[in-house]
Structures are given as C-alpha cells and as structure tokens.
Amino acid sequence: MKIDMKKTKDNKSLGYAIARTNWYLKTLLNKVLNEEGFNITNEQWVVLKVIQEFPAASQTKIAEHSQKDKTNITRILDLLEKSGFIERRRDQRDRRMNRIYITRQGEKKLKAIHPMTRRINEVCTRSLNKEQEKELLKSLDAVCKAIGDELH
C-alpha cells in the first residue's frame, strides 16, 4: 500500500508526516516480526529494548522511556513475563515496587530481531544519502527536544 504524496491533502503538516511515518514503521515491523515467526509485537519489542537499556528500571521508568501509559505498560510487561523475556523482582528498599530485568531468553529474542530492524532501517533510508540520514535524525531530535521543553 503506497500513498501518493501529491494526493495527500495535509502533506505540509509536520505532525501528520511524523504520525504517518510512525504508523508505517510500526506496521512494517509488526508485519516482518509476524512473517518471521517472532511471536512478539512492535510494542513489546520497544519495551524489551528499553528494559535492556535500563536494567532494574521501575515500571514507571519503563513507561516513561517507551512512551507508554501505565495501563499499557502493565499489559505489555505481563505478556513479556509470560513469554519468559523479563522477570520482575521486588525492590529491596521499597517492597511495593518491582524492578524489571531482561532474561537470557529476552536477550536472545532481541539479538534475533536485530537483523530485521536493521533491514527496516535500510528500507527507511534507502532514498537518503548518509548526510541526509544524519540531518533527518538531527532534525527529529530537535523536534523532540522542542516539544519536550514545551511539555515541561
């Protein structure tokens, strides 16, 4: 399914362009993960990557870093735990809080998925040269920073 940008009415809206790009990225990743039999969704993959990057993080920190709300993060963590990709451990200082850790099985899953995500990155950047790719990343970081500054 390809979109003819000339027929897209609101193609000058930055928010629309980013949302559309995000939808395509998530849809493509879910398609590839499903076709390759990984039995994990884009949403779960993002959370698992965050847990790998921030070992022993609280559920709140994971929600914040993955941009998920607390209800969705609980559901995703339950699924990841059921699949054996993460484990929850009680915090030693605050018994009401769990710390989340990636398991060996979770690490293996991320390692196996990595070539797929690299391939998707290549699809996304194939029409860009290296300088354009760097500039795009720099621009998106600047947009995120500006929005983050406005939110805080």
Side-chain angles (χ1 to χ4, degrees):
M1 171 193 321
K2 293 195 178 201
I3 291 180
D4 182 353
M5 288 304 295
K6 293 176 184 153
K7 292 182 181 178
T8 304
K9 292 179 183 177
D10 199 15
N11 65 0
K12 294 193 190 304
S13 165
L14 181 62
Y16 177 78
I18 291 171
R20 186 183 68 241
T21 303
N22 183 47
W23 183 86
Y24 272 107
L25 274 168
K26 289 195 295 190
T27 301
L28 179 58
L29 183 55
N30 278 329
K31 179 180 187 274
V32 169
L33 291 172
N34 186 46
E35 286 174 352
E36 297 292 329
F38 280 106
N39 197 30
I40 192 170
T41 66
N42 166 64
E43 301 284 317
Q44 294 166 353
W45 173 77
V46 167
V47 172
L48 198 56
K49 287 289 291 176
V50 167
I51 295 166
Q52 182 187 46
E53 189 175 339
F54 301 97
S58 68
Q59 187 167 319
T60 302
K61 270 290 182 218
I62 293 167
E64 186 180 301
H65 286 291
S66 61
Q67 290 97 35
K68 308 268 181 250
D69 62 51
K70 287 183 182 185
T71 303
N72 280 333
I73 206 68
T74 299
R75 180 184 52 79
I76 292 168
L77 290 175
D78 287 346
L79 291 168
L80 290 173
E81 186 175 40
K82 185 177 177 183
S83 297
F85 300 144
I86 64 158
E87 61 180 41
R88 291 173 164 121
R89 297 182 203 156
R90 288 271 175 227
D91 185 282
Q92 295 302 314
R93 287 182 236 137
D94 183 352
R95 306 283 296 159
R96 297 168 296 171
M97 185 186 337
N98 285 319
R99 297 290 175 177
I100 314 298
Y101 297 86
I102 191 168
T103 63
R104 276 199 188 119
Q105 191 173 344
E107 291 282 359
K108 283 182 186 177
K109 182 64 79 171
L110 287 179
K111 188 174 182 178
I113 291 171
H114 184 73
M116 305 303 132
T117 59
R118 200 171 55 239
R119 191 173 82 207
I120 290 169
N121 237 12
E122 290 167 3
V123 167
C124 294
T125 59
R126 75 172 81 147
S127 64
L128 305 174
N129 64 40
K130 287 295 177 196
E131 190 56 40
Q132 290 171 318
E133 184 180 344
K134 271 201 258 185
E135 192 56 42
L136 175 60
L137 290 170
K138 184 178 171 183
S139 296
L140 289 172
D141 283 343
V143 168
C144 285
K145 183 183 179 331
I147 293 169
D149 290 349
E150 190 67 26
L151 288 171
H152 299 101

